């Protein structure tokens, strides 16, 4: 069975065909989810939920050839919803904590700050950043996946970048302050300036 | 914004490239086994969720579909001037004939003396309730009753009514009353004639005994009477059809048809692969070889899955042929949302620009929303829509889920001509919402005209 035949069988309710078809795209799914989630546990959870929704909503897919796009659209929605859920469950500090746990000594501070800042963005901005800068997608590709006009995606991207830039400026100042006070955390972040 | 400015912006975010490389490195070691396991778990979860979904739909069926039926009923009722003069002369029935003259099945039943005289009366505080007779088959019960008492005229309104079976359980069905004031109040009679029409839910048996109560001028009166099942035993014709057909690119199958004295039931199943949500058929009817039309009053279920339509009965006419005809299909897009701000009253997104939040009222029990559908044409206005899932939920901007409160069914106000907007009333809890609120839309106006004709008999 080729991709489309497999997708068509999956839509009709063939479980094996569905698994086979998803297998063809799993690397891409993982890449997108990981770029957004930034940790393995949440990434796998998002993929699990996506497969679940793919199964229950399979009747709504008209053209088997759009299977991949359709599934990624679902994944994107799952990822963006996931964040909402997390925010309700945990205070923002938890993110920093989790990222600190994974830090490596080299550019840890930069990564920590940027990753945390991206995580703090509104879900749509964060998704656009993840797809554009971590998955190398074009504006048009992103627009198709998020089902928005190109112009909207461009606006989101620019707003996201502006927020990141201004946040980074604030963080930079903060770190310099800490350093000036001889704060230990500041010292650890010495690799910050590029 | 120009490309250069974009690049400049990108470069102004320090660490982006580094962070990207970090992500790439982390993904090089793709946790294949864990990923495959997550995919399998997702499928298992999906299988479970699909099963649960089906169960939920069944339990919702009764309330939602009962609603659907009543709406169609009222929209389709026409008081036709033609009715059998013979029937008018049957003693004791003249008061009812005018009431049921719009219903072919009931007139034919009366014509064929398919009526069970009851004559049970109860009296309380000067008020008297009489059940004069019933017309019943295996799936439908019509109670002809009258009320007398101080201040009661044939223009009086019944406040409320209740139908219980022999065990005191509510009768499961679509229950309606169609009381039309039939004369002017100056010459009002002193007896109020009315009838209650109960159409049983699929697979629900008509009770052996009925406890029927009406509330009038603040008084509840209850009369109890038996239903003689022998009168309609074996009076049914069944056709197993499994006939596929298509309207507007949506596929359906007619499963079967059951003809009994008071109704024809026709079950239609939708293809699960249908792209759009099918809401109902337009001007659906059964037509016999003499061109007589048996119209539908709606039915039970959801056409988007499976629906049993009820038609006026051809049972006593005994036609040689029956053909199902419809002029088209009511359908809507799936996965539409209605987004509103209940603080400003603003409608942010709607599936159709004719639909908007009309007003908001704070009451003791919650916040009442009135949603207006304007500029509906005659065809649009003929159907009542399940705009939001009955007893469904919605989300605020914080992602928190809240229930849509039950107001003993859903209230809808509309004119069959579409001349005035239709209003749908929903109640939501009082809460500290993060605006805006997002509701999933189920059905909304929209149709395609495409006639079909399918032979049933």
């Amino acid at each position: 069975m080729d991709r489309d035949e497999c997708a068509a069988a999956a839509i009709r309710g063939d479980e094996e065909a569905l698994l086979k078809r998803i297998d063809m795209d799993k690397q891409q799914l993982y890449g997108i989810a990981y770029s957004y989630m930034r940790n393995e546990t949440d990434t796998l959870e998002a993929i699990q939920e996506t497969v679940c929704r793919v199964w229950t909503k399979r009747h709504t897919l008209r053209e088997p050839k759009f299977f991949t796009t359709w599934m990624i659209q679902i994944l994107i929605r799952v990822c963006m919803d996931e964040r909402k859920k997390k925010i309700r469950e945990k205070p923002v500090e938890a993110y920093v904590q989790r990222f600190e746990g994974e830090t490596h000594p080299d550019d840890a501070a930069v990564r920590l700050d940027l990753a945390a800042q991206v995580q703090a963005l509104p879900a749509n901005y964060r998704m656009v950043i993840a797809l554009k800068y971590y998955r190398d997608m074009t504006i048009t590709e992103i627009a198709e996946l998020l089902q928005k006009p190109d112009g909207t995606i461009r606006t989101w991207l620019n707003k996201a970048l502006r927020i990141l830039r201004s946040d980074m400026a604030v963080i930079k100042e903060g770190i310099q302050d800490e350093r000036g006070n001889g704060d230990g955390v500041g010292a650890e972040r010495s690799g910050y300036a590029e | 914004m120009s490309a250069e400015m974009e690049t400049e912006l990108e470069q102004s975010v320090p660490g982006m490239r580094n962070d990207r490389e970090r992500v790439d490195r982390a993904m090089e070691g793709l946790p294949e086994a864990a990923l495959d396991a997550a995919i399998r778990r997702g499928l298992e979860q999906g299988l479970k969720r699909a099963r649960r979904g089906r169960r939920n739909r069944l339990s919702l069926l009764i309330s939602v579909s009962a609603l659907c039926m009543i709406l169609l009923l009222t929209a389709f009722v026409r008081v036709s001037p033609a009715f059998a003069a013979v029937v008018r002369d049957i003693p004791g029935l003249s008061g009812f004939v005018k009431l049921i003259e719009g219903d072919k099945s009931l007139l034919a039943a009366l014509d064929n003396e398919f009526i069970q005289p009851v004559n049970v009366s109860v009296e309380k505080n000067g008020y008297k309730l009489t059940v004069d007779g019933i017309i019943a088959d295996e799936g439908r019960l019509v109670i002809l009753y009258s009320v007398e008492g101080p201040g009661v005229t044939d223009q009086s309104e019944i406040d409320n009514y209740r139908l219980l079976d022999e065990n005191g359980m509510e009768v499961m069905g679509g229950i309606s009353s169609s009381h039309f004031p039939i004369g002017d109040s100056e010459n009002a009679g002193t007896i109020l004639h009315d009838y209650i029409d109960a159409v049983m839910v699929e697979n629900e048996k008509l009770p052996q005994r009925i406890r029927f109560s009406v509330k009038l001028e603040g008084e509840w009166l209850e009369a109890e009477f038996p239903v003689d099942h022998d009168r309609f035993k074996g009076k049914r014709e069944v056709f197993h059809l499994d006939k596929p057909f298509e309207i507007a690119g949506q596929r359906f199958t007619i499963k079967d048809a059951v003809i009994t004295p008071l109704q024809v039931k026709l079950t239609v199943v939708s293809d699960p692969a249908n792209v759009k949500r099918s809401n109902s058929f337009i001007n659906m009817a059964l037509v016999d070889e003499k061109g007589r039309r048996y119209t539908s009053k709606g039915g039970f279920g959801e056409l988007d899955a499976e629906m049993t339509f009820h038609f006026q009965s051809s049972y006593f006419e005994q036609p040689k042929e029956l053909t199902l005809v419809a002029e088209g299909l009511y359908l809507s897009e799936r996965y539409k949302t209605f987004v509103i701000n209940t603080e400003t009253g603003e409608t942010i997104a709607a599936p159709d620009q004719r639909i908007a939040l009309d007003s908001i009222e704070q009451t003791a029990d919650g916040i009442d929303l009135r949603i207006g559908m304007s500029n509906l044409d005659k065809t649009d206005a003929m159907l009542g829509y399940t705009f939001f899932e009955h007893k469904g939920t919605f989300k605020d901007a914080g992602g928190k889920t809240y229930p849509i409160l039950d107001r003993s069914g859903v209230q809808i106000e509309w004119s069959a001509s579409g001349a005035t907007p239709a209003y749908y009333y929903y109640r939501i809890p009082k809460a500290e919402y993060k605006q805006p609120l997002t509701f999933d839309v189920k059905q909304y106006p929209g149709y395609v005209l495409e006639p079909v004709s399918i032979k049933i008999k």
Side-chain angles (χ1 to χ4, degrees), chain B residues 396-453:
Chain B
D396 76 356
K400 198 163 179 229
T401 303
Y402 298 89
I404 297 172
L405 302 179
D406 189 18
R407 301 179 64 176
S408 30
V410 179
Q411 296 180 18
I412 305 179
E413 190 184 302
W414 87 110
S415 72
S417 67
T420 53
Y423 293 110
Y424 285 64
Y425 294 84
Y426 292 94
R427 180 173 291 161
I428 60 172
K430 285 183 176 171
E432 293 290 318
Y433 294 116
K434 208 172 155 208
Q435 300 289 343
L437 311 183
T438 303
F439 296 78
D440 288 329
V441 170
K442 197 166 171 191
Q443 303 179 340
Y444 60 94
Y447 62 90
V448 171
L449 291 176
E450 190 185 309
V452 285
S453 163

Side-chain angles (χ1 to χ4, degrees), chain A residues 162-177:
Chain A
R162 278 176 199 283
I163 293 171
L164 287 177
R165 189 174 59 161
S166 57
D167 282 354
M168 295 310 287
V170 171
I171 285 168
K172 214 183 265 182
E173 279 165 24
I175 287 171
Q176 269 158 3
D177 265 5

Side-chain angles (χ1 to χ4, degrees), chain B residues 106-353:
Chain B
L106 298 184
L107 285 180
L110 285 186
D111 254 336
N112 289 276
E113 295 177 21
F114 190 67
I115 179 170
Q116 302 185 25
V118 176
N119 289 321
V120 169
S121 291
V122 281
E123 280 193 67
K124 196 171 144 194
N125 299 337
Y127 291 96
K128 184 177 171 191
L129 164 69
T130 304
V131 174
D132 301 82
I134 57 171
I135 309 171
D137 73 4
E138 58 175 39
R140 186 177 175 194
L141 168 70
V142 174
I143 303 171
L144 307 171
Y145 70 94
S146 47
V147 184
E148 293 167 78
V152 175
T153 71
D154 60 11
Q155 304 298 303
S156 299
E157 297 264 353
I158 298 289
D159 300 331
N160 205 345
Y161 51 85
R162 200 167 54 204
L163 271 187
L164 304 176
D165 66 11
E166 57 268 35
N167 303 315
M169 302 295 287
E170 279 201 54
V171 172
M172 296 293 277
I175 300 166
S176 56
S177 93
S178 305
H179 179 60
F180 298 105
I182 47 174
D184 52 289
S185 26
E186 272 176 37
N187 303 312
T190 54
I191 300 178
L192 168 67
H193 291 282
D194 203 352
Y195 79 98
I196 290 287
D197 189 348
V199 176
M200 303 301 290
V201 173
E202 213 54 17
N203 300 323
E204 195 69 30
K205 295 254 183 316
L206 197 66
Q208 298 289 332
R209 290 188 77 79
I210 293 283
R211 284 165 56 191
F212 170 59
S213 318
V214 297
K215 192 181 181 193
L216 183 87
E217 312 275 333
E219 289 284 347
W220 275 105
L221 295 161
E222 182 180 285
E224 192 178 332
F225 57 87
V227 178
D228 182 0
H229 284 233
D230 289 340
R231 290 293 300 273
F232 50 79
K233 212 174 186 175
K235 284 193 162 64
R236 73 198 310 245
E237 271 182 274
V238 182
F239 300 90
H240 296 286
L241 298 159
D242 277 321
K243 275 199 175 178
F245 69 102
E246 199 175 314
I247 305 191
Q250 308 283 103
R251 289 195 291 269
F252 305 94
T253 305
I254 303 180
K255 240 168 66 178
D256 50 31
V258 179
I259 302 175
T260 58
L262 301 183
Q263 58 190 357
V264 176
K265 290 197 286 191
L266 193 94
T267 302
V268 179
V269 184
S270 287
D271 186 334
N274 282 347
V275 175
K276 297 198 176 174
R277 180 184 296 283
S278 303
N279 299 331
S280 194
F281 297 112
I282 302 171
N283 279 336
M284 183 167 55
L286 294 170
V287 181
D288 68 13
E289 74 278 6
K290 290 181 179 161
R292 286 178 293 209
R293 274 176 78 89
Y294 307 88
T295 52
S296 172
K297 300 172 156 189
F300 288 119
E302 289 184 48
L303 179 56
D304 197 45
E306 178 173 329
M307 182 155 177
T308 300
F309 290 94
H310 295 209
F311 294 83
Q312 292 178 335
S313 182
S314 61
Y315 184 87
F316 293 110
E317 317 280 0
Q318 296 290 333
K320 286 190 192 67
E321 287 171 23
L322 271 182
T323 306
L324 174 73
V325 296
E327 290 166 19
L329 180 68
Y330 290 101
L331 72 187
S332 13
E333 299 280 350
R334 299 178 194 275
Y335 307 117
K336 290 284 176 186
T337 53
F338 186 65
V339 185
I340 52 171
N341 184 322
T342 54
E343 272 161 31
T344 61
E346 194 188 350
T347 303
I348 296 151
D352 185 309
Q353 58 185 14

Side-chain angles (χ1 to χ4, degrees), chain A residues 17 45 47 80 93 135 138 151 153 159 162 175 179:
Chain A
E45 221 171 82
I47 288 174
M80 288 164 70
E93 285 79 14
R135 293 291 92 209
T138 64
I153 301 300
K159 283 193 178 152
R162 278 176 199 283
I175 287 171
R179 231 183 250 156

